[in-house]
Amino acid sequence: MKAPILDSVYAAEAFQTKGHQMVDLLSKHLKAAQKSTHKTIPYTDPETERQFWQQYPEKQDFQTLVQDLIDRSIHVHQPKYIGHQVAPPAPITAVSSMLTSFLNNGSAVYEMGIANTAIERIVTDQLCAQLGFDTHARGFLTSGGTLANLTALLAARSVKDGTAVWKNGYEESLGILVCEEAHYCVDRAARIMGLGDKGILKVPATINYAMDTTALEATLEKAKQAGIQVFAIVGSAPSTATGIIDPLDKIASFAQKHGLWFHVDAAHGGAAIYAQQFKQDLAGIEKADSVAIDGHKMMMMPALTTALLFKDGSHSYQTFSQKADYLLSDADHEDWYNMAKRTFECTKSMMSIHWFVLLNQYGPSVFDEFVSALYQMGRQFAAIIQKDPDFELALAPQTNIVCFRMVQKQLSKQALNTLNERLRFALVQEGSFYIVQTKLRGTHFLRVTIMNPKTDPDTLSALLIHLKELAKPILQNLK
Ligand SMILES: Cc1ncc(COP(=O)(O)O)c(C=O)c1O
């Protein structure tokens, strides 16, 4: 049977031509992005964008198709991209993405992904050692921080409550403790697990948005009085909105005292375990039972890849298993190489390759350099804001997340909220910079995450000047 379309789909020559064309276009884009010669975000409203692609010519010339996709996407390699916590991927990991997409090996069972499975063990062992865990620790990679946090809490429930819920459903009320400032995915994970409102015990934050550990005993006692059996506590390193790290060491002591599982959501800042200057801010992380670290945030990798690391590796085998029959003490039977026994995913991308390529080509100090540059730039931006009377900081940044707002003496709190909200939207529509926003205790703040080591103080000063220009017509309307 003739299959002309399939023949051309799989033609090696066409692959070579199109591959080269795409790399050429992306390299050109990278150079332009680093010089900020184009908009950072080419914003269009969703319906206009939908229509553009709906009416897109069939069988478009491939280079035009790639160029259109580049032109109509947000550009994370621009130094003026300072919005969400998404890394500008190290270009070599874009190359490894092509490799892994092409090879398309899995990792559910060892023989479907021989190299990437062995490599996954090596990179997660490396991370465990860097965390300060001993050789009983084990980890695996999974598709994102959200899934990693859910998997960690499932493991925690299994270890702390036995297999009761897994087998019989809930026969008693279970709960977790987490700071009110934690990422929403922890709340979502708890609800997916069926803990409900009453099982999510929100610990208040201090004035500085970190977990208030002085409130822990009372929160736990209240839960006990309500008949809730708390099995875990989650610390954030840092929390998303403000970039402030919970006091992990104090949380670890509390968890130990009460026999709770201690999980650290270090999706954003876990990479700081490599940063000589900043790793002390994570003190106590080595006492956690489990830690989640995103590769696609502060480790320069493409989405999605997250490491979930367990201090006692045998716990990682209990998440989805009624019988803990892969205990590490029985080393002969530890089939660490059949990943699907421990991960949510069955098919999973060859994500370990990105970690390995970076470590192999640049060494672990690349993560130190990256995190340190971005955290230092967070502090420099704070200093720039403090010198400008038209802006105020929400709080001193601890990481590369900086919250600030425009202030004008004559405006009420409500009007200032409106000003900053409109300012942010005006900036998105205009497109030269990309920043985000957050509401902290009722006050609207602009929020910046410095994700690109090429973002320098001049870029950040230019942002403030630009915001002042954009604010002029908005202020006219507010008066
Ligand atoms: C602290 C924290 N945890 C979890 C997540 C969710 O991670 P992911 O987007 O990889 O699912 C985020 C994302 O911003 C985060 O900041």
Side-chain angles (χ1 to χ4, degrees):
M1 199 186 90
K2 277 199 157 187
I5 301 178
L6 292 181
D7 283 347
S8 71
V9 166
Y10 286 98
E13 296 75 21
F15 170 65
Q16 189 175 16
T17 306
K18 289 185 169 124
H20 280 294
Q21 286 171 345
M22 196 184 67
V23 171
D24 287 347
L25 288 170
L26 285 175
S27 306
K28 202 170 129 215
H29 168 63
L30 180 62
K31 278 188 203 144
Q34 288 175 345
K35 287 192 193 132
S36 287
T37 50
H38 295 89
K39 281 184 175 187
T40 303
I41 174 168
Y43 186 81
T44 52
D45 68 79
E47 271 311 310
T48 310
E49 192 63 15
R50 192 177 69 82
Q51 272 167 30
F52 177 85
W53 292 107
Q54 191 91 51
Q55 291 159 9
Y56 202 69
E58 275 180 30
K59 300 198 174 140
Q60 176 66 288
D61 161 66
F62 183 69
Q63 293 189 79
T64 309
L65 170 57
V66 173
Q67 193 60 52
D68 281 339
L69 285 164
I70 294 173
D71 290 345
R72 303 182 78 86
S73 299
I74 195 164
H75 298 146
V76 296
H77 288 91
Q78 286 254 24
K80 292 178 178 173
Y81 171 91
I82 36 180
H84 287 291
Q85 303 142 270
V86 175
I92 199 162
T93 64
V95 179
S96 57
S97 285
M98 191 168 170
L99 175 72
T100 59
S101 296
F102 188 93
L103 294 176
N104 214 20
N105 282 204
S107 62
V109 290
Y110 174 65
E111 65 241 32
M112 258 316 285
I114 295 165
N116 54 298
T117 301
I119 285 172
E120 184 161 335
R121 171 74 194 272
I122 291 165
V123 296
T124 50
D125 278 0
Q126 222 269 6
L127 285 159
C128 286
Q130 194 71 33
L131 268 173
F133 287 171
D134 67 21
T135 53
H136 293 98
R138 290 285 183 277
F140 51 79
L141 301 177
T142 192
S143 304
T146 300
L147 198 60
N149 287 330
L150 173 60
T151 312
L153 288 175
L154 287 169
R157 188 181 66 185
S158 217
V159 171
K160 291 293 175 188
D161 193 50
T163 55
V165 178
W166 191 258
K167 277 193 191 150
N168 311 325
Y170 282 105
E171 289 167 327
E172 57 189 348
S173 295
L174 298 183
I176 61 162
L177 289 164
V178 60
C179 181
E180 59 183 353
E181 287 295 320
H183 190 265
Y184 72 85
C185 71
V186 177
D187 183 277
R188 187 176 284 183
R191 288 177 198 281
I192 291 169
M193 290 169 69
L195 303 185
D197 277 343
K198 66 180 184 341
I200 305 165
L201 301 141
K202 293 268 163 86
V203 183
T206 62
I207 183 111
N208 260 343
Y209 301 94
M211 183 189 279
D212 181 359
T213 49
T214 64
L216 280 175
E217 292 289 351
T219 313
L220 182 63
E221 189 49 40
K222 215 167 128 196
K224 280 186 188 161
Q225 297 294 328
I228 311 230
Q229 202 179 310
V230 176
F231 64 93
I233 181 163
V234 179
S236 301
S239 62
T240 310
T242 59
I244 297 297
I245 301 166
D246 285 337
L248 303 181
D249 210 35
K250 287 191 178 139
I251 302 173
S253 304
F254 177 81
Q256 197 177 23
K257 178 176 166 199
H258 293 282
L260 306 179
W261 181 280
F262 177 29
H263 173 65
V264 180
D265 174 4
H268 182 81
I273 54 176
Y274 289 95
Q276 294 308 319
Q277 194 189 336
F278 296 102
K279 65 180 181 189
Q280 74 277 1
D281 290 347
L282 297 175
I285 201 167
E286 71 288 353
K287 297 178 189 162
D289 294 292
S290 54
V291 178
I293 305 176
D294 275 359
H296 53 279
K297 290 194 167 66
M298 296 294 286
M299 299 183 84
M300 291 172 280
M301 291 173 221
L304 284 172
T305 177
T306 300
L308 181 57
L309 309 158
F310 290 80
K311 184 164 65 201
D312 178 343
S314 69
H315 290 155
S316 70
Y317 293 83
Q318 279 172 254
T319 316
F320 304 112
S321 169
Q322 285 79 14
K323 296 174 277 158
D325 48 1
Y326 306 106
L327 290 176
L328 293 177
S329 53
D330 190 0
D332 284 349
H333 296 101
E334 189 207 341
D335 59 347
W336 55 265
Y337 38 81
N338 289 321
M339 290 294 176
K341 287 190 172 156
R342 291 183 290 156
T343 60
F344 228 103
E345 301 100 322
C346 177
T347 306
K348 186 175 85 178
S349 73
M350 299 170 78
M351 50 182 81
S352 63
I353 305 305
H354 308 311
W355 302 73
F356 193 69
V357 161
L358 281 175
L359 285 165
N360 178 270
Q361 297 290 300
Y362 301 106
S365 59
V366 72
F367 299 129
D368 183 352
E369 261 189 52
F370 187 73
V371 172
S372 301
L374 301 182
Y375 280 20
Q376 278 158 4
M377 200 50 63
R379 285 156 172 76
Q380 286 197 43
F381 185 36
I384 293 168
I385 292 166
Q386 276 173 317
K387 281 193 205 127
D388 192 325
D390 286 331
F391 293 95
E392 80 177 8
L393 269 180
L395 70 165
Q398 194 177 11
T399 56
N400 52 334
I401 297 173
V402 185
C403 298
F404 68 107
R405 64 177 184 154
M406 179 170 258
V407 282
Q408 296 285 300
K409 274 199 192 85
Q410 73 279 13
L411 294 184
S412 66
K413 182 179 172 178
Q414 181 53 45
L416 279 177
N417 279 353
T418 308
L419 166 66
N420 282 282
E421 198 174 347
R422 289 188 190 167
L423 196 49
R424 214 287 306 187
F425 192 56
L427 188 60
V428 169
Q429 286 184 307
E430 181 270 338
S432 55
F433 288 84
Y434 181 68
I435 69 172
V436 292
Q437 60 192 346
T438 190
K439 230 177 189 157
L440 298 175
R441 296 181 182 138
T443 301
H444 202 98
F445 284 98
L446 306 171
R447 179 174 168 278
V448 152
T449 314
I450 299 159
M451 294 301 297
N452 189 331
K454 294 204 177 284
T455 304
D456 59 13
D458 288 347
T459 313
L460 296 165
S461 297
L463 168 67
L464 298 189
I465 293 167
H466 193 60
L467 285 171
K468 286 186 214 186
E469 276 306 307
L470 286 177
K472 283 179 187 165
I474 302 172
L475 284 166
Q476 286 297 326
N477 284 335
L478 279 175
K479 276 176 190 159

